[in-house]
C-alpha cells in the first residue's frame, strides 16, 4: 500500500478486522477514525460518552489538594486510568472488546479481549444532551451499555444460551465503574 487511502483498505474483510498498534496514541486515534467510519457505513449517529475524572468525597477528605493535582492525572499512562482515552463512541452493531474481566462465570467467560457488539444503551434519567448533526455527546454516563456476545461452535458464531435477567440470550449489561 502506498498510503492510507489505498482502496484495498476499504474491502469488507478489513472493515471489522482486529488491528495491532505499536503506540497507544496511534491506537486511540485509529479507533476514533474507525468508529466514525463505522457510523458513516451503517448510517448511524455516533453517541460519545466522555470519561469523568471527578475525585470522590473520600478522596477529597484524604487529600484536599487533589483538585490541584489534576494536571498530573492527565499525564498518567492509560494503564493507570483503566485504559480510557477520554471519549467512548457508541454505535449500535459496532464491535467492541472487553479491556478487563467482566464475568468469569464458566458459562459466560466474559474476559479481557472478548469481542462483542453494541446492542443499545440506557441513558441516565436526567440526560439532557441532544444530537448535533451526526453525533451526540452525552452529559452523563449511561446507566449501562448492552453488548451482544457470541460463542464459536464449529467455526460458526452462535448466540449463547445464557441470559442476564430478561435480556436477550448473550446480551450483557456493561455498567460504569468507579475507581479511587
Amino acid at each position: 500500500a502506498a498510503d492510507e487511502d489505498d482502496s484495498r483498505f476499504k474491502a469488507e474483510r478489513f472493515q471489522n478486522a482486529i488491528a495491532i498498534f505499536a503506540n497507544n496514541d496511534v491506537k486511540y486515534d485509529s479507533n476514533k477514525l474507525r468508529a466514525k467510519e463505522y457510523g458513516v457505513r451503517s448510517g448511524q449517529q455516533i453517541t460519545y460518552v466522555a470519561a469523568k475524572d471527578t475525585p470522590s468525597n473520600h478522596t477529597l477528605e484524604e487529600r484536599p489538594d487533589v483538585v490541584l493535582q489534576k494536571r498530573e492525572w492527565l499525564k498518567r499512562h492509560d494503564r493507570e486510568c483503566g485504559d480510557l482515552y477520554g471519549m467512548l463512541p457508541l454505535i449500535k452493531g459496532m464491535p467492541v472488546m472487553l479491556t478487563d474481566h467482566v464475568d468469569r462465570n464458566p458459562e459466560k467467560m466474559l474476559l479481557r479481549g472478548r469481542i462483542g457488539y453494541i446492542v443499545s444503551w440506557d441513558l441516565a434519567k436526567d440526560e439532557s444532551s441532544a444530537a448535533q448533526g451526526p453525533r451526540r455527546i452525552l452529559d452523563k454516563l449511561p446507566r449501562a451499555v448492552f453488548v451482544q456476545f457470541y460463542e464459536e461452535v464449529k467455526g460458526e458464531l452462535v448466540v449463547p444460551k445464557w441470559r442476564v435477567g430478561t435480556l436477550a440470550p448473550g446480551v450483557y449489561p456493561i455498567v460504569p465503574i468507579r475507581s479511587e
Side-chain angles (χ1 to χ4, degrees), residues 46-107:
I46 302 176
T47 299
Y48 288 100
V49 179
K52 303 291 183 186
D53 293 330
T54 306
S56 67
N57 288 335
H58 175 72
T59 301
L60 289 171
E61 288 173 10
E62 285 187 354
R63 297 186 315 183
D65 65 334
V66 75
V67 175
L68 301 174
Q69 297 173 3
K70 190 168 185 176
R71 271 183 217 235
E72 293 304 312
W73 297 352
L74 297 173
K75 294 178 187 174
R76 288 187 175 175
H77 188 278
D78 66 315
R79 276 279 158 214
E80 296 178 62
C81 304
D83 290 319
L84 295 174
Y85 62 98
M87 298 296 273
L88 172 68
L90 299 176
I91 306 170
K92 291 180 182 179
M94 185 176 80
V96 292
M97 183 179 74
L98 296 176
T99 59
D100 207 351
H101 299 327
V102 174
D103 193 328
R104 295 173 191 249
N105 177 315
E107 188 178 56

Side-chain angles (χ1 to χ4, degrees), residues 1-12:
D3 58 36
E4 70 270 8
D5 295 325
D6 190 308
S7 63
R8 292 175 290 179
F9 293 134
K10 304 291 185 208
E12 188 173 334

